[in-house]
Amino acid sequence: MIEKLNHIALVVPDLCQAAATYSNILGAKVSPVHHNEEQGVSLVYVELSNTKIELLHPLSETSPISKFLEKSPAGGMHHVCYEVADILAARDKLVVSGARVLGDGEPTIGVHGNPILFLHPKDFYGTLIELEQVDSS
Ligand code: CMX
């Protein structure tokens, strides 16, 4: 069901500083800052040869990731994102096996413009999992 690792997302308290750390200290290729209203995040992509790291920061106080930063003010790993070919088929199979899908259970459109879903961290060893439907054709 799960295919490639699409990205790992880290929530950071200062996006520009975190982008500078990845660029200047770790020597990574870092994108400009993007803002995504629908997901309520500002983000920077760190491009690695085999995957991406997304540095996330709340776009406003009502962002779904504001709570995370309140609990972990220094930042931390927020989620891992795996690609799936068919998100509705993946969801239905997961639900049958007892996994909980967060939100209303319906996919939303993520920052890459693809359908995404999140799975309850307590069903996956404390790690929030994002599934993203990626068209591999
Ligand atoms: N790591 C571990 N546990 C987490 C967690 C995280 N990052 N985020 C939430 N949880 C826990 C909560 O504490 C809660 O636990 P309990 O059930 O024990 O209380 C549980 O998971 C459910 O969390 P919730 O916030 O109550 O659930 P919601 O349905 O309200 O929210 C969620 C779901 C996690 C998707 C949302 O809070 C969130 O973080 N949204 C941000 C999405 C995001 O990162 N968007 C930007 C990138 C998207 C893209 O790549 O396109």
Side-chain angles (χ1 to χ4, degrees), residues 1-2 77 80 82 90-91 93-95 97-102 118-131:
M1 178 193 306
I2 59 170
M77 199 193 79
V80 294
Y82 301 119
R91 176 197 64 185
K93 213 167 167 183
L94 283 157
V95 169
S97 57
R100 286 166 286 176
V101 178
L102 295 174
F118 286 90
L119 305 178
H120 201 298
K122 294 217 163 70
D123 297 335
F124 296 98
Y125 311 100
T127 302
L128 179 63
I129 292 181
E130 177 185 354
L131 298 180

Side-chain angles (χ1 to χ4, degrees), residues 3-8 50-53 80-83:
E3 298 180 4
K4 287 183 190 157
L5 172 68
N6 184 276
H7 65 269
I8 295 172
N50 59 345
T51 192
K52 288 188 288 292
I53 306 296
V80 294
C81 175
Y82 301 119
E83 297 181 5

Side-chain angles (χ1 to χ4, degrees), residues 50-70:
N50 59 345
T51 192
K52 288 188 288 292
I53 306 296
E54 293 183 0
L55 305 177
L56 305 179
H57 187 78
L59 191 53
S60 73
E61 282 174 12
T62 58
S63 167
I65 61 170
S66 294
K67 264 196 286 179
F68 183 93
L69 215 42
E70 277 164 29

Side-chain angles (χ1 to χ4, degrees), residues 101-115:
V101 178
L102 295 174
D104 66 4
E106 293 305 319
T108 60
I109 298 300
V111 299
H112 311 132
N114 294 327

Side-chain angles (χ1 to χ4, degrees), residues 6-96:
N6 184 276
H7 65 269
I8 295 172
L10 313 179
V11 170
V12 299
D14 181 326
L15 194 52
C16 291
Q17 195 178 59
T21 300
Y22 268 80
S23 170
N24 302 337
I25 298 181
L26 291 173
K29 188 175 165 204
V30 172
S31 78
V33 175
H34 299 264
H35 302 289
N36 187 288
E37 297 279 348
E38 186 167 349
Q39 292 293 325
V41 297
S42 298
L43 78 162
V44 156
Y45 299 102
V46 178
E47 299 287 346
L48 304 180
S49 61
N50 59 345
T51 192
K52 288 188 288 292
I53 306 296
E54 293 183 0
L55 305 177
L56 305 179
H57 187 78
L59 191 53
S60 73
E61 282 174 12
T62 58
S63 167
I65 61 170
S66 294
K67 264 196 286 179
F68 183 93
L69 215 42
E70 277 164 29
K71 284 190 198 158
S72 306
M77 199 193 79
H78 186 260
H79 65 258
V80 294
C81 175
Y82 301 119
E83 297 181 5
V84 292
D86 181 337
I87 202 160
L88 294 178
R91 176 197 64 185
D92 294 347
K93 213 167 167 183
L94 283 157
V95 169
V96 167

